[in-house]
Amino acid sequence: AQSVSQHNHHVILSEAASLELGCNYSYGGTVNLFWYVQYPGQHLQLLLKYFSGDPLVKGIKGFEAEFIKSKFSFNLRKPSVQWSDTAEYFCAVKSNNDMRFGAGTRLTVKP
Amino acid sequence: NAGVTQTPKFQVLKTGQSMTLQCAQDMNHEYMSWYRQDPGMGLRLIHYSVGAGITDQGEVPNGYNVSRSTTEDFPLRLLSAAPSQTSVYFCASSKELAGIYNEQFFGPGTRLTVL
């Protein structure tokens, strides 16, 4: 079955630390890849997406992600996190009509 | 643009009751979908629609019905609520199903509790 795996359930960092959240998927064909963020009490918002072209994608708020096709991965990175980045982060993969989300990674940034 | 709107925001039902969760979008998006969000499971697709009059099942469709009579509206119906349907429900829409404009815009969610 097609699936999306996010390795970390809960990540706790101090401000200014670097962030990398893992995302792996099991789809075999052409995929579109997304990272969504859900701030406390809010709905999901798109951080960035990969459609085609340059595998290094830059999104809003200093986030970026790299699509590594050979590893079926789309890890999210940020060089220096802020307290306001505290949120839940979801990786999503779309193939044809099928859209699957990972279980999410909760990020807590300590001031 | 209001974007994607959902009503109600909160709802408590008793087992066996029926209800409809409303979803509307004013962006003229063809693709609409319903998800449920449960702790530790992310979002799971319930049903989706690629245009007015066309719906299909997602990953967890049992216990839910949908219809798409207009481009703007995509209601989700629970015919006989069960405690396992306690969840947060999100509606989403996108301009197209595939292609560069396939990113989804999400509504604010409906928190449903079934006793």
Side-chain angles (χ1 to χ4, degrees):
Chain A
Q2 295 160 334
S3 65
V4 180
S5 299
Q6 291 184 241
H7 315 302
N8 310 102
H9 238 37
H10 189 189
V11 172
I12 303 173
L13 295 173
S14 298
E15 274 195 314
S18 64
L19 169 72
E20 181 160 2
L21 302 182
C23 174
N24 285 89
Y25 62 93
S26 65
Y27 290 70
T30 301
V31 294
N32 297 152
L33 302 157
F34 308 83
W35 275 98
Y36 283 88
V37 60
Q38 187 176 29
Y39 296 105
Q42 297 188 27
H43 57 281
L44 277 80
Q45 302 169 42
L46 182 69
L47 262 183
L48 50 80
K49 70 174 185 179
Y50 173 80
F51 178 71
S52 64
D54 189 344
L56 184 61
V57 180
K58 294 196 183 298
I60 61 171
K61 303 185 180 185
F63 286 91
E64 65 178 31
E66 186 175 12
F67 171 47
I68 303 179
K69 191 174 180 180
S70 60
K71 295 185 177 180
F72 298 90
S73 71
F74 190 55
N75 292 356
L76 181 72
R77 300 193 292 249
K78 185 171 184 178
S80 175
V81 294
Q82 300 171 316
W83 175 80
S84 58
D85 293 324
T86 294
E88 189 149 19
Y89 293 81
F90 294 92
C91 178
V93 180
K94 193 168 192 179
S95 178
N96 299 319
N97 293 352
D98 197 347
M99 179 87 162
R100 298 288 173 112
F101 283 78
T105 297
R106 186 151 63 99
L107 172 66
T108 301
V109 180
K110 296 180 180 178
Chain B
N1 279 356
V4 181
T5 58
Q6 290 182 237
T7 55
K9 288 188 177 176
F10 302 94
Q11 183 70 50
V12 179
L13 293 178
K14 293 181 180 177
T15 297
Q17 286 185 311
S18 63
M19 82 157 294
T20 299
L21 308 186
Q22 301 292 343
C23 174
Q25 51 89 12
D26 61 358
M27 297 175 282
N28 202 30
H29 285 174
E30 288 297 318
Y31 182 83
M32 295 185 74
S33 52
W34 276 102
Y35 294 87
R36 57 178 290 172
Q37 183 182 27
D38 301 294
M41 303 191 75
L43 279 81
R44 291 181 291 169
L45 182 64
I46 304 172
H47 284 285
Y48 65 94
S49 168
V50 299
I54 306 169
T55 64
D56 207 344
Q57 296 181 349
E59 187 182 353
V60 288
N62 292 343
Y64 308 95
N65 276 358
V66 291
S67 60
R68 185 96 179 268
S69 55
T70 66
T71 299
E72 294 78 20
D73 301 298
F74 191 44
L76 177 73
R77 279 183 287 278
L78 283 72
L79 302 174
S80 178
S84 60
Q85 293 178 305
T86 294
S87 188
V88 181
Y89 291 85
F90 288 99
C91 179
S93 74
S94 64
K95 187 173 181 178
E96 54 189 11
L97 180 62
I100 198 167
Y101 297 110
N102 67 352
E103 68 188 71
Q104 293 193 72
F105 295 83
F106 284 83
T110 295
R111 186 174 293 274
L112 175 67
T113 302
V114 183
L115 304 175

